[in-house]
Amino acid sequence: MSITLHYFDLYARAEPIRVILNYRGLRYDERLYSFQEWPSIKDQFEFQELPCLEIDGLKLVQSASITKYLCQKLGYSFKDPYLNYLTCSLVDVRDDFITKKIQLCWHEKNPEGWIDWIRNDFSHILKAIERRYKHNGETGFFVGNSPSVADFVMFVMLHDQFLREKVSEKMRPILESAAPKLIEFVESFKNSSETLVNYLSNRPERDF
Ligand SMILES: N[C@@H](CCC(=O)N[C@@H](CS)C(=O)NCC(=O)O)C(=O)O
């Protein structure tokens, strides 16, 4: 299966896609565009935005839909409408989160405002996410007993924003005080895939 991910040199909206592919140990190529060259190539993509994933002879766009497509294709999904809703609603939570981060950190260049927003406005969402995790019985997964798109997007959001080495000194205490069970989830999910652990130790360090 030939797979190519088109994006910029960022984690941002592409990282859940990379994490799913690596969790499963799938090989893929990446085309990372510079912001200088982007205007001359954006017409090649349906909504003139990235990420785009080429797979199965298709050019898929819209990051949340790409993650759901991949999970369905790889067997990380549920047929039951309610279980499916439980997974997709967490995809929406992560989408809101990354959209807010892009607005504050990228467009408004206000990283301190971003941290304040997490402390003051996002803590109650972290608590609600933790309640979901506990309600599922702390199985190591957010829904049922197997990986789903909910785990991939929550893993990326929690690991990259709060726990990875570069940010953990400042950010880990916020998560520890609001929703400590989510730290256990991140550790357990990471260690459930050797190829994911490998990817995380070898991926380029990116600020965003
Ligand atoms: N809803 C879209 C948003 C995509 C989006 O805004 N992508 C940004 C990068 S994160 C982009 O392509 N910016 C370049 C542009 O709009 O010209 C998604 O989730 O894929």
Side-chain angles (χ1 to χ4, degrees):
M1 182 177 8
S2 145
I3 306 174
T4 304
L5 175 65
H6 302 259
Y7 198 51
F8 304 104
D9 189 7
L10 304 169
Y11 295 151
R13 292 191 193 273
E15 204 54 18
I17 300 168
R18 296 188 181 105
V19 162
I20 295 167
L21 294 169
N22 281 285
Y23 185 92
R24 185 59 166 257
L26 291 173
R27 298 176 81 93
Y28 60 99
D29 295 320
E30 286 210 60
R31 296 286 311 277
L32 301 181
Y33 301 102
S34 70
F35 292 107
Q36 282 72 25
E37 68 185 319
W38 172 241
S40 67
I41 43 178
K42 64 196 282 182
D43 285 349
Q44 296 170 26
F45 300 95
E46 189 177 15
F47 298 126
Q48 303 190 341
E49 289 173 337
L50 296 175
C52 167
L53 190 71
E54 285 193 72
I55 185 168
D56 299 332
L58 302 165
K59 276 178 95 169
L60 306 180
V61 294
Q62 290 292 350
S63 57
S65 298
I66 298 170
T67 59
K68 289 184 243 178
Y69 177 96
L70 270 181
C71 283
Q72 194 174 354
K73 182 180 169 62
L74 299 173
Y76 302 137
S77 64
F78 297 100
K79 286 212 173 77
D80 176 83
Y82 181 61
L83 297 183
N84 191 44
Y85 151 80
L86 287 175
T87 68
C88 292
S89 48
L90 290 177
V91 174
D92 289 342
V93 168
R94 200 269 168 177
D95 205 54
D96 290 348
F97 177 86
I98 196 69
T99 300
K100 187 78 182 180
K101 182 170 185 179
I102 290 170
Q103 178 205 326
L104 283 174
C105 295
W106 192 268
H107 295 298
E108 296 178 18
K109 312 263 179 281
N110 182 9
E112 285 312 313
W114 168 240
I115 308 292
D116 286 347
W117 180 81
I118 290 184
R119 267 208 197 89
N120 302 327
D121 301 302
F122 196 65
S123 285
H124 74 279
I125 296 184
L126 288 172
K127 289 181 201 299
I129 295 169
E130 188 187 55
R131 278 196 294 278
R132 285 257 190 129
Y133 183 65
K134 287 181 175 167
H135 192 255
N136 192 48
E138 298 172 32
T139 56
F141 304 104
F142 273 93
V143 185
N145 282 308
S146 56
S148 70
V149 71
D151 303 308
F152 292 110
V153 293
M154 287 298 103
F155 175 81
V156 170
M157 185 180 85
L158 299 167
H159 177 270
D160 287 357
Q161 184 61 49
F162 297 94
L163 301 176
R164 68 185 164 118
E165 209 177 315
K166 188 162 189 167
V167 298
S168 65
E169 195 181 331
K170 199 168 187 180
M171 301 304 296
R172 187 185 171 104
I174 301 176
L175 184 58
E176 241 158 17
S177 107
K181 282 279 165 207
L182 296 180
I183 298 179
E184 289 174 26
F185 159 75
V186 168
E187 287 309 316
S188 134
F189 192 73
K190 181 167 115 180
N191 292 322
S192 69
S193 164
E194 207 177 305
T195 48
L196 176 60
V197 172
N198 249 340
Y199 167 68
L200 293 171
S201 12
N202 293 314
R203 71 180 175 171
E205 190 61 62
R206 293 171 171 130
D207 284 331
F208 199 77

